[in-house]
Amino acid sequence: MTSPTKTIACFGETVLRLAVPVGEFPLQSPRLDTYVGGAETNVAVALSTLGHPVRMLGALPDGPIGDAAVSELRRHGVDAAHMLRPAGRMGLYYYLPGGTMRPAEVVYDRADSAFAAAKADDWRWDELLAGVDWLHVSGVTPALGPQSAEATLAAVRAARAAGIRISFDGNWRGRLWSRWNSDPAATLRPIVAEADVLFGNHRDATLLLGREFSGDGPDRRRDAALALLDAFPKLETVASTARHIVEPTKHQIVARIDRRDDHAQTETADITPITDRIGTGDAFAAGVIHGLLTTETLGAAVQRGLALAALKHGLQGDFAPFTRPMVESVSFTAADVAR
Ligand SMILES: O=C(O)C(=O)C[C@H](O)[C@H](O)CO
């Protein structure tokens, strides 16, 4: 086990969640709960809490709301000094938790946010990535619009040229893509082509590779991971989780990680009760990145991912600010599976 010393940069939109209280319709009572979030921001906070030096790259509006979000990042030890601070507004999403016979719902209100309105060349990658060892990005950012997609591609290309390791989380957001892009795979493929580590399952593989993966459970995930590794030669590692909803508040998750020459899968973890599912995928990504940087085996890395994802299910809000001892005290069995 090694100490976390590598500097990680996360590029993406920091957003504000406005959550309707459980058991209510929107605006039924004069209250919305607020949480700072955003897929890459969630990864930044989790990794910072685990002890890694983390830099958040993005844009927050100049003014008190942007200042409050910056304070929230700093409270978790994330370096927010490199964020752009243009005039504009904060990206929002409303969370309606649903209820009996009513599914939960997310409503985005982020179309013209300070981040989405930024031009691709507002970000100077040579400066922003100086001193960085690892860059994390996700599919949410290119989904925001052509400028954000161009910025994401420029970021990963600059990182690759500078010898910085790159992780990419698929994070499919159909409702963001459908606003402007009829061929998301064409936008995503050159970004994924630069990544070393991909968080994605058979659905991401189908989108990126244009073919279905049949079979059941582990076989389908293994085939998808191997196909992704074949299709994208710079990719070294593919990690994913599979969720089985047993009851609304009891889910089972299996986590898997593949390299060309190695693989590991966890035993099924029963996760109950479930307080808040949002950000659990980001927690998994952060835990795996932490594991890859600090542990020796793929089995240990995927266990860290599942542990952090499991812990996040029990915490309100988008962030997973769990310390190393908390994550390391959760144990699942890592079982090698035959290919
Ligand atoms: O980034 C987004 O698209 C969000 O909706 C914010 C959430 O924190 C994120 O989705 C969780 O993965």
Side-chain angles (χ1 to χ4, degrees):
M1 194 120 43
T2 51
S3 300
T5 52
K6 305 278 187 206
T7 297
I8 301 161
C10 297
F11 172 57
E13 182 173 23
T14 302
V15 291
L16 189 61
R17 178 195 327 184
L18 300 176
V20 174
V22 173
E24 294 186 13
F25 281 137
L27 310 184
Q28 181 176 331
S29 68
R31 193 184 120 195
L32 290 169
D33 294 323
T34 62
Y35 302 96
V36 176
E40 307 79 5
T41 309
N42 300 341
V43 172
V45 164
L47 285 166
S48 174
T49 310
L50 289 167
H52 299 265
V54 180
R55 179 182 299 181
M56 189 67 214
L57 303 177
L60 278 168
D62 191 20
I65 302 299
D67 288 349
V70 164
S71 297
E72 183 61 4
L73 294 179
R74 290 201 177 123
R75 188 166 76 82
H76 292 286
V78 174
D79 173 5
H82 303 263
M83 301 280 274
L84 307 184
R85 300 296 307 277
R89 61 173 293 247
M90 177 109 189
L92 306 177
Y93 77 101
Y94 297 89
Y95 179 64
L96 287 62
T100 312
M101 312 303 277
R102 267 186 312 126
E105 205 183 328
V106 164
V107 178
Y108 286 123
D109 179 18
R110 59 196 291 181
D112 52 355
S113 66
F115 187 103
K119 301 275 171 283
D121 56 12
D122 287 347
W123 281 285
R124 303 299 170 116
W125 294 110
D126 288 353
E127 291 161 28
L128 296 172
L129 295 176
V132 167
D133 301 290
W134 188 301
L135 172 69
H136 179 74
V137 294
S138 99
V140 178
T141 310
L144 293 174
Q147 291 294 322
S148 303
E150 201 181 314
T152 313
L153 183 58
V156 294
R157 286 191 171 155
R160 172 65 56 189
I164 296 168
R165 284 171 65 74
I166 300 157
S167 50
F168 178 86
D169 190 335
N171 273 337
W172 174 249
R173 298 286 188 277
R175 273 184 291 147
L176 293 178
W177 285 108
S178 62
R179 289 177 38 246
W180 71 280
N181 190 319
S182 58
D183 189 4
T187 305
L188 286 169
R189 265 187 231 109
I191 298 170
V192 175
E194 301 302 333
D196 299 280
V197 179
L198 173 69
F199 297 98
N201 60 19
H202 62 278
R203 284 186 287 273
D204 296 284
T206 295
L207 172 77
L208 290 165
L209 307 178
R211 54 168 277 220
E212 294 293 329
F213 292 86
S214 56
D216 208 15
D219 286 349
R220 184 164 61 178
R221 293 169 71 206
R222 174 206 55 207
D223 292 350
L226 294 180
L228 287 163
L229 288 164
D230 275 351
F232 297 102
K234 293 176 194 159
L235 207 55
E236 285 171 6
T237 308
V238 176
S240 66
T241 54
R243 180 187 296 269
H244 172 53
I245 300 179
V246 185
E247 294 166 14
T249 58
K250 182 177 176 186
H251 296 188
Q252 293 178 330
I253 300 188
V254 183
R256 179 179 179 105
I257 192 163
D258 283 84
R259 278 192 182 143
R260 282 167 223 288
D261 53 354
D262 198 6
H263 56 276
Q265 174 165 303
T266 61
E267 298 286 0
T268 304
D270 278 337
I271 299 184
T272 187
I274 298 181
T275 306
D276 188 343
R277 255 184 76 173
I278 294 183
T280 55
D282 309 323
F284 174 70
V288 171
I289 294 169
H290 170 67
L292 291 172
L293 286 170
T294 59
T295 62
E296 301 298 323
T297 64
L298 285 184
V302 78
Q303 279 200 38
R304 297 291 186 273
L306 186 57
L308 199 51
L311 288 166
K312 169 63 195 70
H313 282 80
L315 191 69
Q316 288 287 1
D318 300 41
F319 293 165
F322 294 93
T323 61
R324 245 177 123 163
M326 287 174 182
V327 171
E328 284 163 17
S329 68
V330 179
S331 66
F332 304 102
T333 318
D336 259 357
V337 287
R339 276 195 171 149

